[in-house]
Every structure is written in C-alpha cells, then in structure tokens.
Amino acid sequence: MNTLTTKTLRTVVDARKWSPVPDVRELFAYRDLFLTLTYRDIRVRYAQTMLGLTWALLQPVATLVVLGLVFGRVMRVDTQGVPYALFAVVGIAVWTYFSFVLKESGGSIIGAQDVVRKIYFPRLIIPLNKATVGLVDLFVALVLMAFLFIHYRVVPTSHALYALLFLGGVMVSALGVGIWISALTIRFRDLQHVVPFLVQFGLFATPVAYPASVAVNTLPEYLQYFYFLNPMAGLIEGFRWSLLGVGEWNGLCTLSVLSGLFLFVTGLFYFRSVERTIADLV
Amino acid sequence: MSKRVIHVSGLGKRFHVKGRSPIDLRAGIAENVKRLLSSKGDPFWAVRDVSFEVHEGETLGIVGRNGAGKSTLLKMLSRITYPTAGRFEINGRMSSLLEVGTGFHMELSGRENVYLNGTILGMRRTEVKSKFDEIVAFSGVEEFIDSPVKFYSSGQKVRLAFAVAAHLEPEVLIIDEVLAVGDVEFQRKCLGKMKDVASNGRTVLFVSHNMSAVNSLCERSLLLNKGMVEMMGPTLEVTRRYMSSNHDDPPGERDLSLLPSKQDQAARILAVRITDKAGAVIRHGLVTESFFVQLTYEVYRSGFRPQPVVLLFNSQGEQVFTSFPGMDTEMDYSPGRYTIQLQIPPDLLNADTYHFTLWLVTWLPYKAHQVAENIMSIEILDDIHSPTHPVSNRKLGGVVRPNLTWLRVEG
C-alpha cells in the first residue's frame, strides 16, 4: 500500500496488510507515466511505417468489403432499409476497437517485462495504456463511419446522442476484458494464443455484420442469454439503434451492459490480487 | 540524531521452488490440484528477517555474494516485488535505479526517450522539460538528440540514459550495479555524481560488487549471506569480512604448474601467492600496508638466465609498473626450484583492483620462457573513514597514492 500525502511522500509496505481494493488515487499519481507510455505506443505504432495512420483505416475498410460481399450481397441480411455498408460500418467501428484491445492486452504485461522487472508503477497502467492506444483506431473507424453517413445522405436519429453512452460502455467493457486477459496471461501464457482465436470467432458471434434479431429469432432461449453475455452484443446493437434507429433495445441488451460492467469491476479486483506477484512471474 | 528515512523490520521474501510459476494452463491446473492434495513445494527464503535503519544523508552499502538476496531486497524496497513477511517504511520521494535506460525505445528519438525514461524513473513531465537542456548537455549527444536512438552507438545510449538518471532528484535513491555498464570514464562520472547525491543530504542505498566503490561511497554497509544479515557496520570491516569469506573472488594463491605452456621447456613459473607481512595468503590489502608477491619457479635447463617479471595493471587496464630483480638481487640460474618475492611498499598503490601478469624471461639474448597474463588480482582498499586518513571520507584521485615529503623553503 502506498500512502501519498500532500507534502512529503511516505511509502509503507507491510506483508500482512495488502488492500484488495484497487488504488485509484495511486493510479492518478502516476498519470505522467501513463501519458508518456501511451504517447510512446502510438508513436511506435504509426511512426516509420510508410502508410502511417492509413493502416488504421485499412483494417475496417477490408472488413467492410468482406462482410459486405458475404452478408450484404450473398446472404442479403435484412437491415431494415439501411444501406448495408452503413449498417455494417457501425458495428465494425466498435468491433475493431474491442478486438484491438483484446489482442494487445494478451501480451501486454509480458511485452513490458523489461520495465516491470526494473521499476515500480501501478501495473494497471499497462492494460489501461493498451485500451487508450486503441482509441486512435476507433477514432479513424468513426471517421470512416461519418464519411459513409455523408455518402449515403443518411441523417442520424434524433436520439443519436445516446451513441456516446454506448461508446462509453464499449470502452469500459473493452478495458474490463483487457484487464482480465492481461492479468490471466501472467499465469497462463497459453491465453496469448487463445485470444486471436476468440476475436476471430467473436466477430461472427456478435451482431456486427447482421442485426441481433437474427440471433434472437434462431437461437433457443438459453443460448440467447449466452449470446448476450458478450458485452459487445448489446452495446453494438444499442450503438446502431441510437445512430440508425434499427433494432430494438430489450432486456437481453441490458444483460450485455451489466455483463460488461461486471467484467470491468471484477477485472479490477482480480488484477489487484495478482498485481503484487507480477514481477515474480513474468 | 538525524531523521530516520528508511526503516526495515523483519523483511522476508519466500519463493516456492516447486510450482513457482506455472506458465501454461495445463501445468497451472495440475498445480492447483496438487496443491489441494498435498502441501506446497519447498519454500525457499531469498531474503529472511532483514532489519535495518538508514538515516538522512547516509549512504548504506549492501554487499554479499551472488544469490545472497541483494537484488531481492532491493526489489522489495523499490516495490517491484512484494514481501512475504515484515514491513518497511521509506520517508521521502524515492527513485530506484536498477538499470540505466529502462524503457528506452530504439525507434524513438533521443528527445522522446529522455521524456520516456525520465517519467519511468518517476519524474513529472514538467520536471523533465525544465531539466531537458541540462540532461542533453550532460550526455554530450546534442547533435543527435532528434534522431532515433537505434542509430546511436552503445556508448551514446548509455550516456544519454545515465544523463537522465543523474538528474533525478529523489530524497532516497536505490542503486543496483549500474556501474557495471559503460566505459571507465563513465564509471568515474557515475561515482562522482553519486557522491554528489549523497553529500547533498540525500539518502542512498548502494548495491555493488565493486568493493572499492562501496568503500569510497559508504560509511556503513550491510553484508547479506543466504538472505540474512550477516554483519552491519563500518564499511571497511564489512568488506574485509566479505572478502575473507568470498570464494567467488580469485584466490590469493595460484598453482600454475598444470597450466599448459606454449613456451619452451627451459624454465617455468609453478606457483604465485600474494601474502601479507606475516606470510599469510591474502586477497585484499590496504593502501597503508605493504604486501608481497611470492613466485615459485623452476629452471630445467642451464644456459639461460631466467628472471621473473611482474607487470601490474589497474582496473582501467593501465599498466602501473614493470618490476624484475635488479643487480643487487642474488640470482641462481642453474637448474633447480626457486622461490622469490617482490615487496610492494605501503603508500604506493591507490585503492583499486589490480591484476598481475607474470613473465619468465632471459633478457640477453632475449628469450621468453613463459608469459602468464592476468593470472591474479588483488583488491587494495583505502580506509577513508579512519581518523588518520589524510582527507577524511574522501578517496584521493590518482593512479598511485605515494606519501611524499613536503618541505617548506624559506625566503
């Protein structure tokens, strides 16, 4: 435990007194380190690549093209009159961010082991940092989305401001899952290899390319609950509803939101419980 | 009495040798099942029941053999790992320097790395900004500050990294073996800067294998052995105890008879010993005391005039002297076994680690019978805390430390 007082800094560590509560105040005290690491990651990710930020655009565009062919042209998914590209890009923007955070979190602490072994800082900064870096890609995908809105001359619904709330939910859930994954990979390195698979599978188990109603109409009831335990299921559906007015908000969507919140809070506590052993295990 | 800055009581860290880090799912599950069924693996205490106090402005040295628990202790104090037992309290802003250049990223420019490394070491961004010019000037890489660090030479990288570390202004500084990197010039700069830190009233914990560095920086030291405090007290006493028990160090005695010799079979050195006045083998000496280099060699064939030659090098690799028996030494060159000793007088060598190279040669006509490079070393210590020391608490500079005569001239 670290006690910060206004004038002099006092560090007290007692083997028998370990607070299981995440220390938010300490996290705030290390904000400069957080900002610098985030800046570093963004710089390293986009500096010295020929296309730079264009890479952030390429991924959602490629996904859009593939999904557009399969779900839009071949399967002709019912989008309630919304152009398919616009329908899909809303989901893709969010999913791109979520999958980025998951993939980056997998190897995050092992990737930072040089620093972790030599310097103390609240380790929560590591997954937090990954979730923040992903915002760049999210922003680029949202710009692509805005462009398609203009292209199809579609005006967002009057309740479009709710979208911000859903975006907030997406960030919290992504961070929550990211925290869980980064904490688990410390002990279970195999998880690093499982995550890309989960992400790949998740794209089809989430209403990105098709409306959630497809899942509701075809799945037996107990599987529907299971489907909506994925926080992205309800959040993407909600995000799309607030911008395009399609789909419906129901109890199942609320389940998704609660699931996201639950993962975030438990993630914080689980991370706290393994935090002190990180340097011994990496 | 000055303020107590560090207070450690009963600190300990235990590892489980078995199942310490299950690194895959299968092993992790198996481990959990095993743990349910049987007791845990053998506990191993890397550090056990360590207690000490450090007061404001003090520099405490921490010495011990490899595996004695120095690093674990330091890691606990810098909060990198969490103790299993005990507690500690540190009053004041603390920085730990277990490595220079932590977090350096090769793709980023020198400028960006200064900010990165500075904040990693606990500086505020604004603080780095205000010291930036100073840091860059200290590093001497001004011209390249905006090019990526991957284009730097390794020396430039170290200098830049150290420049950042040197501008930390913590009240408590924890340093581990950072002197091991870098060139000689850098090591000197490093030591000098650390002395500044200590003399500015800051508290320093200093871990090192370099006994002369510990000796010149720290008044008190703590000797760890198998994770426990073996001794704590004046540095010279602690370093002496450490060295007399340390078997990792080169011994003060060496048998050369089994060493393959590429040279001719006319004569060869069989053994070398470093002894004190009483003839006991030593591994370290004092600036103010003399010691002896004793050589045993054998002449196999007549017709040569083999003479042993002692070359002494300091830790920087500079040759301090070359010595061989002079005209007034009675030498016997007929076949047989001889022992001869060279006396190194007191007040000649400065505190340092010295290495011996031995030759066995016939000068005229020149013939090298044997060349044994870097065969032996000795650590010379300076008791800078002794009341009779010329300048108390300070190491005197220079390759040699002679006691010269000064006379006042009238007029």
Side-chain angles (χ1 to χ4, degrees):
Chain A
M1 242 186 60
N2 185 27
T3 318
L4 295 168
T5 51
T6 44
K7 268 217 150 171
T8 54
L9 221 83
R10 188 159 161 264
T11 313
V12 182
V13 173
D14 193 322
R16 280 161 307 170
K17 289 180 194 156
W18 169 261
S19 162
V21 184
D23 194 342
V24 179
R25 210 161 44 146
E26 190 194 23
L27 201 62
F28 183 70
Y30 278 87
R31 62 192 178 280
D32 279 24
L33 178 62
F34 165 71
L35 289 174
T36 316
L37 286 178
T38 306
Y39 171 77
R40 177 190 76 171
D41 280 10
I42 293 174
R43 274 278 292 147
V44 171
R45 199 165 140 78
Y46 299 112
Q48 302 227 335
T49 57
M50 260 161 66
L51 295 177
L53 265 182
T54 322
W55 283 115
L57 189 64
L58 228 57
Q59 206 193 340
V61 168
T63 317
L64 186 58
V65 169
V66 173
L67 294 185
L69 281 174
V70 178
F71 288 88
R73 285 282 160 83
V74 180
M75 294 173 65
R76 297 192 176 277
V77 167
D78 177 23
T79 60
Q80 298 180 16
V82 177
Y84 184 79
L86 191 57
F87 176 90
V89 79
V90 173
I92 289 169
V94 170
W95 182 258
T96 308
Y97 172 70
F98 186 71
S99 61
F100 174 88
V101 175
L102 259 59
K103 279 190 263 182
E104 288 291 306
S105 298
S108 63
I109 288 178
I110 294 152
Q113 55 180 308
D114 294 344
V115 182
V116 164
R117 284 207 203 113
K118 298 292 179 190
I119 285 292
Y120 173 79
F121 57 89
R123 311 305 189 194
L124 197 58
I125 282 185
I126 299 170
L128 196 61
N129 168 38
K130 297 300 173 199
T132 314
V133 171
L135 292 179
V136 176
D137 286 37
L138 176 63
F139 178 77
V140 172
L142 288 178
V143 169
L144 173 70
M145 184 184 86
F147 173 79
L148 286 177
F149 264 96
I150 295 165
H151 176 78
Y152 289 108
R153 295 171 204 281
V154 173
V155 181
T157 61
S158 56
H159 51 265
L161 275 180
Y162 280 109
L164 292 178
L165 238 117
F166 288 110
L167 267 188
V170 167
M171 288 176 207
V172 170
S173 320
L175 181 59
V177 180
I179 290 171
W180 264 107
I181 290 174
S182 49
L184 284 170
T185 43
I186 300 162
R187 259 185 177 272
F188 307 109
R189 303 246 166 141
D190 305 44
L191 207 63
Q192 275 184 94
H193 309 295
V194 179
V195 171
F197 171 73
L198 276 181
V199 167
Q200 208 175 17
F201 174 74
L203 174 61
F204 300 102
T206 309
V208 175
Y210 56 88
S213 56
V214 172
V216 176
N217 294 338
T218 51
L219 294 175
E221 201 180 357
Y222 72 98
L223 271 180
Q224 286 176 27
Y225 288 115
F226 199 67
Y227 184 88
F228 279 95
L229 274 179
N230 167 9
M232 285 306 113
L235 285 166
I236 288 182
E237 196 63 9
F239 187 57
R240 193 177 275 139
W241 164 79
S242 49
L243 287 172
L244 296 169
V246 295
E248 58 164 331
W249 183 258
N250 54 32
L252 286 168
C253 295
T254 319
L255 179 67
S256 282
V257 175
L258 290 179
S259 161
L261 270 178
F262 177 78
L263 283 169
F264 176 67
V265 175
T266 51
L268 283 178
F269 278 85
Y270 179 68
F271 196 90
R272 178 73 178 171
S273 77
V274 298
E275 191 177 18
R276 59 187 155 160
T277 64
I278 288 177
D280 300 335
L281 293 174
V282 293
Chain B
M1 194 83 182
S2 57
K3 210 174 89 188
R4 186 176 71 185
V5 177
I6 303 175
H7 182 210
V8 178
S9 59
L11 205 62
K13 174 92 187 172
R14 185 184 54 209
F15 290 107
H16 288 282
V17 180
K18 258 197 294 178
R20 186 170 128 197
S21 52
I23 53 166
D24 58 289
L25 275 171
R26 210 174 40 160
I29 293 164
E31 190 59 38
N32 284 328
V33 173
K34 233 194 287 176
R35 213 171 272 170
L36 282 174
L37 296 175
S38 68
S39 60
K40 286 184 178 179
D42 300 331
F44 160 72
W45 288 87
V47 170
R48 186 162 208 177
D49 203 21
V50 168
S51 305
F52 62 90
E53 288 181 5
V54 187
H55 292 267
E56 194 170 21
E58 204 182 350
T59 303
L60 181 77
I62 296 175
V63 297
R65 262 178 249 175
N66 285 331
K70 301 184 302 275
S71 295
T72 309
L73 177 61
L74 238 55
K75 280 189 169 179
M76 280 193 282
L77 294 179
S78 37
R79 304 180 60 212
I80 295 165
T81 64
Y82 206 79
T84 320
R87 78 188 289 275
F88 69 85
E89 192 178 323
I90 294 175
N91 287 300
R93 199 179 136 181
M94 167 182 66
S95 273
S96 61
L97 204 57
L98 303 194
E99 169 186 80
V100 286
T102 306
F104 256 49
H105 201 290
M106 293 303 124
E107 298 290 338
L108 298 181
S109 71
R111 180 185 302 276
E112 287 164 321
N113 271 307
V114 168
Y115 276 94
L116 180 63
N117 190 230
T119 41
I120 281 179
L121 292 176
M123 282 197 245
R124 295 249 91 98
R125 283 188 73 89
T126 49
E127 214 178 320
V128 182
K129 202 172 181 180
S130 67
K131 288 180 189 161
F132 187 79
D133 293 336
E134 232 182 294
I135 292 173
V136 175
F138 189 91
S139 72
V141 296
E142 289 101 328
E143 302 164 63
F144 315 107
I145 199 66
D146 285 309
S147 29
V149 168
K150 66 177 171 188
F151 298 127
Y152 285 31
S153 72
S154 53
Q156 285 171 326
K157 264 179 257 175
V158 168
R159 282 209 295 278
L160 186 64
F162 183 69
V164 179
H167 287 81
L168 284 171
E169 283 181 353
E171 288 151 322
V172 182
L173 184 58
I174 297 178
I175 313 175
D176 185 14
E177 292 294 0
V178 279
L179 293 178
V181 295
D183 51 26
V184 178
E185 203 40 52
F186 167 73
Q187 291 189 9
R188 284 203 188 122
K189 210 168 172 179
C190 207
L191 275 173
K193 191 79 194 176
M194 260 189 272
K195 285 204 115 156
D196 290 351
V197 170
S199 59
N200 280 341
R202 262 170 259 157
T203 312
V204 182
L205 280 188
F206 179 55
V207 165
S208 181
H209 279 118
N210 184 337
M211 284 303 137
S212 41
V214 172
N215 201 46
S216 71
L217 280 172
C218 316
E219 221 168 294
R220 283 198 313 148
S221 286
L222 181 142
L223 175 60
L224 281 179
N225 188 11
K226 290 175 187 154
M228 293 194 268
V229 179
E230 184 177 320
M231 184 183 175
M232 182 156 171
T235 299
L236 198 74
E237 285 172 31
V238 172
T239 48
R240 280 192 146 175
R241 163 89 76 104
Y242 167 69
M243 286 193 186
S244 64
S245 69
N246 192 344
H247 304 292
D248 301 343
D249 266 14
E253 186 167 17
R254 188 145 178 199
D255 184 358
L256 302 181
S257 56
L258 295 173
L259 212 71
S261 172
K262 272 176 260 156
Q263 280 82 31
D264 68 292
Q265 298 300 312
R268 69 178 305 180
I269 301 165
L270 300 176
V272 55
R273 292 145 53 85
I274 296 175
T275 64
D276 62 6
K277 271 180 288 195
V281 173
I282 55 168
R283 297 183 188 97
H284 63 276
L286 274 181
V287 168
T288 50
E289 283 171 11
S290 68
F291 66 95
F292 300 86
V293 183
Q294 206 175 76
L295 295 161
T296 302
Y297 65 99
E298 187 156 357
V299 180
Y300 300 107
R301 282 194 282 166
S302 52
F304 296 99
R305 297 168 62 82
Q307 282 201 326
V309 183
V310 172
L311 290 81
L312 189 76
F313 296 86
N314 66 14
S315 61
Q316 276 100 68
E318 295 160 330
Q319 190 171 347
V320 182
F321 66 66
T322 306
S323 180
F324 47 88
M327 293 299 213
D328 48 349
T329 316
E330 257 182 64
M331 298 290 289
D332 193 344
Y333 302 114
S334 55
R337 188 176 285 208
Y338 305 97
T339 295
I340 190 168
Q341 75 176 17
L342 163 69
Q343 181 186 355
I344 314 272
D347 297 314
L348 171 66
L349 300 176
N350 206 345
D352 202 353
T353 305
Y354 293 93
H355 306 282
F356 291 95
T357 287
L358 306 173
W359 294 351
L360 197 59
V361 298
T362 292
W363 294 113
L364 269 172
Y366 182 79
K367 175 108 181 119
H369 302 292
Q370 190 176 3
V371 173
E373 281 176 6
N374 242 331
I375 210 72
M376 189 84 146
S377 54
I378 185 168
E379 182 107 25
I380 302 294
L381 300 172
D382 190 2
D383 189 359
I384 61 166
H385 308 299
S386 138
T388 57
H389 191 270
V391 266
S392 186
N393 285 324
R394 196 174 294 205
K395 188 190 167 197
L396 290 174
V399 179
V400 291
R401 242 292 292 281
N403 206 350
L404 302 174
T405 313
W406 283 69
L407 276 181
R408 185 171 162 193
V409 181
E410 296 298 328

